[in-house]
Amino acid sequence: MKTLTVNLGVRSYPIHIGQGLLQIPELLTKHIRGRQVMVVTNETIAPLYLDSIRELLDDFDLASVILPDGEQYKTLKTLDSVFTGLLEHRFNRHCTLVALGGGVIGDITGFAAACYQRGVAFLQIPTTLLAQVDSSVGGKTGVNHPLGKNMIGAFHQPGCVVIDTDTLNTLDQRQLAAGLAEVIKYGLIHDAGFFTWLEQNIERLRARDEQLLAYAIERSCSIKAEIVAADERESGRRALLNLGHTFGHAIETGTGYGNWLHGEAIAAGMLMAADLSSRHEWLSRPDVARIENLLRRAGLPTSPPEAMDEAQFMELMAIDKKVVDGGLRLVLLKAIGSAVITGDFSAALLSQTLSRAA
Ligand SMILES: NC(=O)c1ccc[n+]([C@@H]2O[C@H](COP(=O)([O-])OP(=O)(O)OC[C@H]3O[C@@H](n4cnc5c(N)ncnc54)[C@H](O)[C@@H]3O)[C@@H](O)[C@H]2O)c1
Ligand SMILES: [Zn+2]
């Protein structure tokens, strides 16, 4: 088992990564406050893993809420059903919520914990690659609004993150690829050497080589932990983690939540960011080709949906929260391994990227 720490003073917490971790109760129990524990999961994950968690925590007053599965249920209405569960079981301020699932479950559960009785503890047990490398770490929680992705939420850090890599065995190939999109993101924004390592190992990662996957998760979490520790509330550098996300969120909203997976939308979005960067001559064309090639080998889309045009992108991107005081800010690449957040880009070149000009 590898253990990393997210250093946030009194709110610091460990990330444990390894095989079979859902058989070690202490990893979770050490971080449980009070006697009451509510496991929040969904109808796909419950039959796979809820019983093991129940066994692990059978010393506590345990209850569970099983939500419908899908990004389209990451809503205020679903959140309300978590509150109903907590109130029906008379959960008090000293309870602990456990998020058992992918990023959707993690984001909803974290937000429920941030709000319930003005804030209770929660733990993350991420079960998708995407959640293991990204969404379970860093304390961003929330739900979608019909008008925009993740528009209602709060910062609320978990007490620990337990990543049992065995849970990836039940994940399908498309979801695994979606997680690889965020892994590739870390190479692009922060670590050219890791990007090259991914180029060398992408097929073996897709074939679920256990050791290579564990390394990719560890490297991703360690980059994310470092960035979050430096800028917890995203006043600066943390925004680099949004590479491809302004474009990607527009794709997710524009195509209807759940049709494009988050990681798929981010893959197409990162390539759009790379394309725009190269139109500014910040990034070379061969580097754009390297990025496109790696995303394709990872099984990810490399262009936005045919049906979305420039006008729709502009409208949806204007809602995205990276818009500061009316000006759109984007994460762009200066090189593979080096990103900037900037409002200082050419509108004409953005228009070329969005209209897919040759
Ligand atoms: N909070 C953050 O910092 C952050 C960062 C990145 C993404 N996100 C959010 O995360 C969400 C995407 O997360 P996701 O990609 O994990 O999607 P998801 O939570 O929808 O999970 C994907 C699918 O896999 C299923 N699943 C989960 N674990 C499984 C397992 N072990 N075996 C079999 N099936 C399993 C789920 O039921 C679901 O059908 C988006 O809503 C995105 O906005 C948040
Ligand atoms: Zn993301």
Side-chain angles (χ1 to χ4, degrees):
M1 177 178 86
K2 279 270 165 52
T3 300
L4 307 169
T5 305
V6 185
N7 284 307
L8 290 167
V10 289
R11 281 170 288 109
S12 296
Y13 55 94
I15 306 170
H16 303 294
I17 305 163
Q19 280 187 289
L21 300 195
L22 293 188
Q23 283 139 43
I24 312 174
E26 299 76 47
L27 296 179
L28 293 170
T29 54
K30 249 179 31 191
H31 303 279
I32 291 179
R33 296 206 354 236
R35 301 283 328 138
Q36 300 175 313
V37 177
M38 174 69 79
V39 182
V40 182
T41 188
N42 74 25
E43 59 205 6
T44 305
I45 301 151
L48 296 170
Y49 302 109
L50 185 54
D51 279 348
S52 347
I53 302 301
R54 280 207 183 105
E55 256 170 58
L56 218 55
L57 301 178
D58 72 351
D59 287 346
F60 293 86
D61 300 335
L62 206 66
S64 53
V65 191
I66 298 174
L67 304 176
D69 183 3
E71 181 76 34
Q72 64 275 33
Y73 297 106
K74 190 176 147 183
T75 59
L76 283 169
K77 188 167 168 234
T78 306
L79 181 71
D80 195 49
S81 70
V82 178
F83 296 141
T84 303
L86 289 163
L87 289 164
E88 277 175 355
H89 289 91
R90 307 204 183 292
F91 269 47
N92 62 37
R93 271 191 314 123
H94 305 290
C95 67
T96 299
L97 273 56
V98 175
L100 173 67
V104 169
I105 289 296
D107 281 11
I108 296 174
T109 309
F111 190 36
C115 301
Y116 188 65
Q117 308 227 2
R118 299 186 185 81
V120 298
F122 89 110
L123 315 180
Q124 287 273 16
I125 306 178
T127 60
T128 63
L129 181 61
L130 187 133
Q132 296 180 349
V133 299
D134 194 352
S135 61
S136 65
V137 173
K140 274 197 189 179
T141 72
V143 296
N144 301 327
H145 187 280
L147 296 180
K149 255 298 270 186
N150 295 339
M151 280 294 137
I152 324 288
F155 285 99
H156 191 55
Q157 300 292 345
C160 71
V161 181
V162 176
I163 300 174
D164 185 337
T165 52
D166 285 341
T167 57
L168 297 178
N169 294 335
T170 52
L171 197 65
D172 70 38
Q173 221 38 31
R174 186 180 170 199
Q175 296 289 350
L176 192 81
L180 289 172
E182 304 276 13
V183 175
I184 292 167
K185 177 186 79 179
Y186 293 110
L188 285 173
I189 62 173
H190 192 78
D191 187 342
F194 185 46
F195 186 88
T196 304
W197 183 88
L198 289 168
E199 289 181 314
Q200 287 157 356
N201 291 295
I202 195 73
E203 279 78 23
R204 286 159 72 196
L205 288 165
R206 290 188 75 192
R208 297 164 197 247
D209 179 301
E210 156 65 30
Q211 281 194 339
L212 294 183
L213 270 177
Y215 175 74
I217 293 166
E218 185 196 326
R219 189 70 201 112
S220 300
C221 285
S222 113
I223 294 172
K224 179 143 189 193
E226 184 193 323
I227 292 176
V228 167
D231 178 23
E232 184 183 9
R233 297 257 162 166
E234 197 168 306
S235 45
R237 203 174 144 206
R238 181 166 180 172
L240 297 179
L241 294 169
N242 297 325
L243 174 68
H245 281 58
T246 300
F247 298 110
H249 286 165
I251 294 172
E252 285 183 90
T253 309
T255 53
Y257 298 132
N259 289 314
W260 276 55
L261 300 182
H262 176 74
E264 292 171 342
I266 268 39
M270 289 194 296
L271 205 61
M272 294 173 83
D275 176 77
L276 181 56
S277 306
S278 89
R279 288 178 195 270
H280 285 85
E281 296 183 355
W282 296 345
L283 191 67
S284 71
R285 273 285 149 194
D287 277 350
V288 179
R290 270 179 79 187
I291 299 168
E292 179 168 5
N293 201 15
L294 181 58
L295 292 170
R296 179 169 303 119
R297 286 166 60 207
L300 290 159
T302 52
S303 52
E306 288 293 331
M308 281 183 72
D309 62 12
E310 182 183 350
Q312 193 185 6
F313 262 108
M314 285 308 289
E315 188 189 324
L316 290 166
M317 295 202 322
I319 300 171
D320 198 78
K321 54 194 176 308
K322 264 69 76 186
V323 175
V324 179
D325 297 332
L328 182 64
R329 290 165 66 77
L330 290 170
V331 183
L332 296 176
L333 293 169
K334 292 280 175 167
I336 288 177
S338 168
V340 288
I341 168 131
T342 179
D344 195 16
F345 54 83
S346 146
L349 295 179
L350 174 60
S351 160
Q352 287 179 15
T353 292
L354 295 178
S355 59
R356 286 150 256 189

